[in-house]
Amino acid sequence: MPKLIYAEPDDEITNLVDRLRSEKEEQDLVFVLPAASRVLQSGLNARLLMQYSNSLGKTTAIVSPDQRTQAMGIETGFRVFGSLAAYETGAPLTAAAAGPAGVNGTPVLAPVTPRATPAPPRRPPPAVPRPAPARPAPRATPAAAAGDPPDRIRIYVVGGLAAMLLLCVAALAFLPTATVEIIVDARPVQTTATVAGSTAGPGPSDQLAVQTTLVTAQEQNQQQVTSTGTKVIPATPSTGTVIFTNNGGICGPYVDPPVDFQKGIDVYTDSGIHFTTQADSGVIPAGKPSGPIPVTASSAGASTNVAAGAIDHVSGGGCPSNYSVTNPQATSGGADQQQKTVISQQDLDNVKSSLGNPLQDKVKQDLQQKFGGQKPLTETQVIDVAATYDHKLGDETPNFNATVVVKGRVTTVDDAKVKHVLRVALEHTVPAGYALTDNALKLDYSVASHDDNGGVIFDGNVSGYIAASVDIPKLQQQVAGKSPAQARSLIETTVDAPNPVIRQNPPFLPWLPWIPSHIQIKRLVQNIQAG
């Protein structure tokens, strides 16, 4: 009974191929895809799954409620069912039921078994006449031998003729040779193939898979960097407190009037450094001091830091002799404008270029040393540059420490193995009775997709020429001992090659040599055209 394989919505084609490989015993498999799955909506993925199924000798069906997946599966050649219920009843969808796929599929390449040509019955070689054994002559007496010379001469003549006959028969059997030239026309042939590459390597029966290698390298460097950024710190005014005192006395029509100093009263020193009160003093009775009232210098700079008691004047007011002001403590916090050295964004960017660029070149060299004769796939190469610092942007510091780490990775593949797989794919398209010619194949492939773990899908194209094949040892056996006309007729019915050329040595013999190895058969290919 077929085994059901349930796919997840986010499964990729590599997941389905791995599931297909892992089923070592099961021959009939059914992939059940959820409605949200998009893995078989790509013609490339569908062809890849079909080619893997064929190469592993498995029969694969698809169950999916998605119409595009159904159409793509039917277009590729899968048996497709809209639901498990339909699968259990054995009712697959047709192309009309699933709707148009809109994708050109690539036919699955299946090996073609060449047709066997029955061998014609072998004709036995003609019998070679043998001379009759000479009967021993009766012993003659000396007188008879001497008196009968014609009998002795007859014996010598018959023996010589028999020897000559044996030599002629042997010469006719072993000395003749023949050359047969079979002229066949070449035809262009080409195909496309999808080849999967994985670092896990292909299984023993995976004919359309190759192993890839993920090559990695890392370099790092640490250096102290001088800060070049600047930050201007503006000047600040000094701050402090003052105390107002109501001295009492007559001021206008009032005797001992109360005093209330509002916020914003200007007070100053003998040298003309002015301060402004930051709060209301409240009503100050005659003869009483106020509490501490905060003041801020009206200008900025270190010169606004004044000693205790330096503030002793109040601006405005009618009777200055009736009140007084002073600062019990020196004012502080006044500072002149300053310029500080800080870490700028340019400092951080320069670290990646000054330290990172040499490290990138070193990482690329490290990767090349690890290729081991394999071909790097430049589409998969990634170089990452990361920098860390012991201070952050804008920190006030003359210098800081920076560490740069550069990591690189690239996927490599055995170029010869990929081309071998493409050749096998082309051989599967050759019909029975034909074979690839000796002309060099045109092989080309490119990266269709890849992941960060070394998995790659290649799109391959291969083209060459085919011509009628000739089983030379078998044909030598078939034409041995036949007349040139019989040999020519047999070759024309066995091989798709009209008018074979037969040359004999000596040319007058009515049959070809009886010994197959004395017949040289040449297969000549003509009409090579651009494919």
Side-chain angles (χ1 to χ4, degrees), residues 347-422:
D347 295 335
L348 302 182
D349 294 339
N350 288 342
V351 167
K352 283 192 173 183
S353 59
S354 62
L355 296 183
N357 290 347
L359 291 181
Q360 290 187 60
D361 295 337
K362 185 66 169 61
V363 166
K364 292 177 182 178
Q365 294 176 3
D366 295 343
L367 292 175
Q368 291 178 357
Q369 294 175 358
K370 297 180 180 180
F371 289 165
Q374 291 197 322
K375 176 183 177 180
L377 305 174
T378 56
E379 299 91 338
T380 68
Q381 180 170 298
V382 176
I383 304 294
D384 291 325
V385 180
T388 57
Y389 317 96
D390 62 351
H391 287 77
K392 63 181 182 297
L393 176 67
D395 281 358
E396 297 180 11
T397 178
N399 49 60
F400 61 97
N401 293 319
T403 302
V404 176
V405 178
V406 178
K407 297 180 180 180
R409 69 175 184 272
V410 66
T411 302
T412 62
V413 70
D414 186 346
D415 180 69
K417 180 59 183 294
V418 177
K419 292 181 177 179
H420 170 73
V421 171
L422 294 178

Side-chain angles (χ1 to χ4, degrees), residues 2 10 165 175 226 229 277 304-305 320 333 355 362 372-373 441 445 451 468 492 522 528:
D10 56 350
L165 180 61
L175 295 182
T226 301
T277 60
T304 60
N305 296 321
L355 296 183
K362 185 66 169 61
L441 299 179
Y445 61 92
D451 57 36
E492 289 178 344
K522 299 180 179 179
I528 296 294

Side-chain angles (χ1 to χ4, degrees), residues 162-473:
M164 290 179 63
L165 180 61
L166 289 175
L167 288 175
C168 289
V169 171
L172 291 176
F174 294 99
L175 295 182
T177 60
T179 300
V180 179
E181 294 180 352
I182 301 176
I183 302 174
V184 294
D185 290 333
R187 305 176 185 177
V189 61
Q190 64 179 357
T191 189
T192 60
T194 301
V195 182
S198 171
T199 55
S205 59
D206 287 353
Q207 297 184 355
L208 294 179
V210 297
Q211 184 170 8
T212 58
T213 302
L214 183 62
V215 181
T216 61
Q218 176 177 322
E219 295 287 345
Q220 75 174 45
N221 192 6
Q222 185 176 14
Q223 182 175 324
Q224 189 177 70
V225 182
T226 301
S227 303
T228 62
T230 58
K231 180 174 67 173
V232 176
I233 301 176
T236 57
S238 67
T239 59
T241 59
V242 296
I243 295 177
F244 290 97
T245 302
N246 186 353
N247 297 323
I250 298 174
C251 184
Y254 301 100
V255 178
D256 298 331
V259 179
D260 183 0
F261 293 93
Q262 301 295 319
K263 176 182 177 182
I265 296 298
D266 177 56
V267 294
Y268 56 95
T269 66
D270 291 340
S271 60
I273 299 175
H274 291 257
F275 294 81
T276 303
T277 60
Q278 304 300 310
D280 190 348
S281 68
V283 177
I284 306 173
K288 299 293 184 181
S290 68
I293 300 172
V295 292
T296 301
S298 301
S299 59
S303 61
T304 60
N305 296 321
V306 299
I311 302 174
D312 56 0
H313 296 282
V314 179
S315 297
C319 303
S321 61
N322 287 358
Y323 49 84
S324 60
V325 64
T326 187
N327 56 314
Q329 292 87 27
T331 61
S332 61
D336 296 329
Q337 177 177 295
Q338 301 180 59
Q339 184 169 300
K340 297 288 186 179
T341 300
V342 297
I343 300 175
S344 66
Q345 184 61 50
Q346 185 176 3
D347 295 335
L348 302 182
D349 294 339
N350 288 342
V351 167
K352 283 192 173 183
S353 59
S354 62
L355 296 183
N357 290 347
L359 291 181
Q360 290 187 60
D361 295 337
K362 185 66 169 61
V363 166
K364 292 177 182 178
Q365 294 176 3
D366 295 343
L367 292 175
Q368 291 178 357
Q369 294 175 358
K370 297 180 180 180
F371 289 165
Q374 291 197 322
K375 176 183 177 180
L377 305 174
T378 56
E379 299 91 338
T380 68
Q381 180 170 298
V382 176
I383 304 294
D384 291 325
V385 180
T388 57
Y389 317 96
D390 62 351
H391 287 77
K392 63 181 182 297
L393 176 67
D395 281 358
E396 297 180 11
T397 178
N399 49 60
F400 61 97
N401 293 319
T403 302
V404 176
V405 178
V406 178
K407 297 180 180 180
R409 69 175 184 272
V410 66
T411 302
T412 62
V413 70
D414 186 346
D415 180 69
K417 180 59 183 294
V418 177
K419 292 181 177 179
H420 170 73
V421 171
L422 294 178
R423 180 185 179 91
V424 172
L426 184 63
E427 290 173 347
H428 286 171
T429 66
V430 177
Y434 285 80
L436 291 171
T437 66
D438 295 334
N439 301 90
L441 299 179
K442 184 178 179 181
L443 301 160
D444 185 30
Y445 61 92
S446 59
V447 175
S449 63
H450 64 89
D451 57 36
D452 295 340
N453 300 316
V456 183
I457 302 296
F458 299 100
D459 279 340
N461 294 277
V462 56
S463 61
Y465 299 92
I466 60 172
S469 58
V470 178
D471 188 343
I472 292 179

